[in-house]
Amino acid sequence: MRQHPRVGFTGYYGMRNFGDDLFGVLCSAAARQYWNAEPLLVGPPLQGAKARAMWPAALPAHMYGAPGALGKAARVVGFMRGLHASDVLVMGGGSVINARESFRKPMMLSAVRRNRVRLAAVGVSVGPFPDAASESAAADFVRQFSYLSVRDRRSYELARRMGLEHIVHEGRDLAGLLRNVAPVHAQPTRDEERSVARIGIAPCRYQVRTDHPAPTPSQWHDAVVHAVTRVASRIPLEVEIFSLNGHPQHGDEAMSQQLQQRLRERGIATDLHAYAGSDPLRTVAAIRRCDAFVSARLHGAIVAYLCSVPFAIVDYHPKCRDFADDIGLPPDLRITGDAHDTAAFMHVVEALLNDDDARARLSPDVYAQEAQDIFQCAPWSTPSILHTRTSAAPA
């Protein structure tokens, strides 16, 4: 491989999702820092990502995430350009090792067979799979990879059972790299002089899975509105609603606006932070300014954790549970199918604001240190010091 390999990162970048765009920014910075590589972004440009975007400059960026045949054709063009330009193509972040069909897979395998590119994945989840056949097909695909760094313990154990032990590394979520590779201006401190507590709330437009009991969005929205209203009757506070997915079809902005309106009608000062795409580090800074955070979006919760903002997570998907388990988040800070009423949210809000012990067992400092190994354990990494994994399990 050349001295400065060209590393293309592919994911759901450019689709107006905060977590996915953050992956693109962090992967670009980490490739330069740990791999001495020239990063390429398979998608439109992202603010804060020092990488060459594979999206044609003459075309509008919003076309990349457009629905229908036009949007798919745009993504195919961007992917072909990125694949052709890369020495290593990396699936960077997200729940991407799964049973879903993708136009990317056959193109990636064809390039590997012709010795055009090496494949890898970093900061990803594996599965869950609906059946053994889907799991086997995914294993056949990933066996063509040179490196696989997963973001949670469940994915690591599943990958080993799938016969991928020769390439799998038990890593962390890519967001763990924030402290090490993100620009300093993305991490301002909270205003210690502010006398009014600020609570961040990040909803998510999801459907309850049959294999993972959870409250519906409307159920927990009702409960959190009632809980915050009761707390606000006793102490001054303000709320900021975070719409972390701005996709016009699949995004959260409409429900975020509804939550904002309901709280304002109850006399609570409520702002709306709507992520519209391209600048995820600005949203990181906004989350960091909160005193407490309640999130259904996984990366709202992860970023709050890494910014040392006390947080609770709405456990609507296995990936939320996996993260909560890995860091040792107390059960009473998880909103679940069994605990999502007003009383549960009253406890959550009061604990986050007043209880210094309402924290995950694993320190975010340790998590951030270990996240560096996502890149440092790759076979083409520049020489570096690796870190020993710390368990969040109680002694």
Side-chain angles (χ1 to χ4, degrees), residues 132-264:
S134 299
E135 182 178 309
S136 178
D140 289 342
F141 171 58
V142 181
R143 283 193 190 97
Q144 304 305 311
F145 286 33
S146 299
Y147 179 61
L148 169 66
S149 180
V150 297
R151 65 183 179 182
D152 55 74
R153 181 70 184 181
R154 180 200 58 78
S155 292
Y156 176 71
E157 293 173 346
L158 177 55
R160 290 179 60 85
R161 293 198 300 271
M162 291 166 64
L164 304 173
E165 64 277 356
H166 60 297
I167 59 170
V168 69
H169 165 253
E170 185 181 4
R172 295 296 190 188
D173 191 274
L174 288 170
L177 293 165
L178 263 172
R179 298 185 180 191
N180 298 299
V181 305
V184 175
H185 71 262
Q187 302 179 5
T189 57
R190 294 191 296 280
D191 184 357
E192 302 296 341
E193 301 301 320
R194 190 174 65 240
S195 61
V196 178
R198 176 181 291 166
I199 300 174
I201 301 175
C204 175
R205 183 179 172 184
Y206 64 84
Q207 298 289 329
V208 177
R209 298 166 57 105
T210 56
D211 62 346
H212 195 91
T216 65
S218 62
Q219 285 176 324
W220 77 261
H221 291 184
D222 288 345
V224 77
V225 166
H226 292 314
V228 169
T229 301
R230 292 184 187 179
V231 174
S233 68
R234 301 199 303 269
I235 63 170
L237 59 80
E238 60 189 28
V239 175
E240 188 163 8
I241 306 297
F242 285 77
S243 171
L244 297 180
N245 187 327
H247 193 279
Q249 285 189 315
H250 312 297
D252 308 327
E253 191 161 354
M255 63 169 48
S256 296
Q257 291 172 342
Q258 291 171 0
L259 264 178
Q260 179 191 33
Q261 183 63 29
R262 291 178 67 181
L263 288 166
R264 283 183 168 179

Side-chain angles (χ1 to χ4, degrees), residues 272-297:
L272 175 64
H273 179 101
Y275 181 75
S278 84
D279 190 4
L281 295 179
R282 176 176 168 269
T283 296
V284 171
I287 292 173
R288 188 175 178 84
R289 289 193 294 268
C290 293
D291 298 292
F293 206 81
V294 177
S295 186
R297 283 283 170 189

Side-chain angles (χ1 to χ4, degrees), residues 7-13 19-20 22-24 26-28 30-31 34-35 88-97 108 119-126 142 145-152 155 167-177 299 371-381:
V7 180
F9 289 97
T10 180
Y12 295 110
Y13 320 139
D20 291 321
L22 184 62
F23 294 155
L26 296 176
C27 281
S28 301
Y34 302 115
W35 292 351
V88 183
L89 186 73
V90 182
M91 300 176 78
S95 305
V96 295
I97 309 298
M108 293 164 71
L119 301 179
V122 295
V124 300
S125 294
V126 178
V142 181
F145 286 33
S146 299
Y147 179 61
L148 169 66
S149 180
V150 297
R151 65 183 179 182
D152 55 74
S155 292
I167 59 170
V168 69
H169 165 253
E170 185 181 4
R172 295 296 190 188
D173 191 274
L174 288 170
L177 293 165
H299 284 88
Q372 297 179 81
D373 290 349
I374 299 169
F375 278 75
Q376 290 177 338
C377 286
W380 45 80
S381 174

